[in-house]
Amino acid sequence: MRANAVSELEQSRSELRLIWALCLASIVVYINLYAVQGMLPSIAEHFHVSGAKATLILSVTSFSLAFSLLIYAVISDRVGRLAPIMVSLWLLVASNILLIFAQDFDALLMVRLLQGVLLAAVPAIAMAYFKEQLPANFLLKAAGIYIMANSLGGIGGRLMGGLLSQYCTWEQAMTVNFAVTLLGISIVTYLLPRRELKAEKTQSSIGMIAKIKQDVGGFVYHLTDHQMRLVYVIGGLAFMMMVNQFSFIQLHLMDEPYNFSRFAATLIFLCYLSGTLTSYFSAKWVVKFGALRLFKGALLVMLLGTLLTLMDNLAAITIGFLFTASGFFLTHSCCNSFVAIRASTHRAKATSLYLCSYYLGASLGGPYLMIFWHKLEWQGVVIGSCGLLALLSVAIIRLTYHQAKTIELEKSA
């Protein structure tokens, strides 16, 4: 009896260490992804390029990250979850040294392209890792905490970048970024459990062609699932709107009549904190209300937040973005939980497909909303955002239909 109690205690500690480790890893990943966003003017100045060209530093990273998610899904299903995460995180530490000594903008772009590949490991594997290592009754809470860590990393990265841009040279800023990354990954290495309880791996006895067919089949399996496909669309559309709204509102706040400084404009990202709080409570809400009702509620919250900003004063803009961030992170948490629970096999592939759609949505949202910005500036962005919310509502209605149909089939069986 005592031995069983000790074993349960050790397992509980291992589960908590896994949650804290992956959440900290997520924070480090998103700091590295978004810190440069607050540094674009200083990057343009240091590397003697235009401001428009400087934005490529974000584009190339997001691009390589999106498609690398699919690769990590295959790798982790074959070799387990722990090794790809640890190798990618320590290579990320090393890559930050290259940023310090980048001599020109082309070299900088190449390093950031590489970093996109390395940054993809944690988001591609984390939810599948949780599902395999945690009990079912703990999974939703772990997912909510993990999404909360994502938002903290996004906030911290952008604000850190703004501060470093204002007070440090490029070399000094990248040295600080290297130190933060090294410290974070060292703690992650200490916290991560050294063994995987139920790692899902592809059998090594089958041939290479069979493995490739199995991998492709895993992606096809989830893409042919109507509900999974709709959840991928919901997450992509929501992020397409939200993250790019935050980019354009900075331009609006730096213009008349606000005239915010570069760093002051980045403070709007503190509105992400409402999303952090929402992510924390999302697990309880999913259990109590169900994902479908939360998708509908989050849609209304994002619509209200978007429309509030048309009042065009600081209070309305702040409240509007608090609402928008809250609605988005509720949607994102529900999508992550839905995918993790529904994926009974090829779990990492299911998660990576969702995140690939998520980041591709973000990359497409900039050019899409830019059209509206050029026509009507912020009012145009609101119009474009309402168009995305209309598409989002269609996807939610379709998901509701397919879930109802599934329930009817189960009752009749």
Side-chain angles (χ1 to χ4, degrees), residues 235-244 358 361-362 364-365 368-369 388:
L237 287 172
F239 199 44
M240 184 177 183
M241 184 200 76
M242 192 279 297
V243 74
N244 289 291
Y358 178 83
L364 293 172
Y368 167 74
L369 290 179
L388 293 176

Side-chain angles (χ1 to χ4, degrees), residues 156-176:
R158 290 172 173 98
L159 294 181
M160 187 180 86
L163 281 172
L164 294 176
S165 178
Q166 189 160 338
Y167 297 108
C168 300
T169 64
W170 169 257
E171 290 81 5
Q172 291 170 339
M174 289 301 97
T175 300
V176 171

Side-chain angles (χ1 to χ4, degrees), residues 99 126 279 309 324 327 329:
L99 288 179
S279 299
T309 62
T324 299
F329 277 101

Side-chain angles (χ1 to χ4, degrees), residues 183 189 207 226 367 395:
L183 176 62
T189 303
H226 292 298

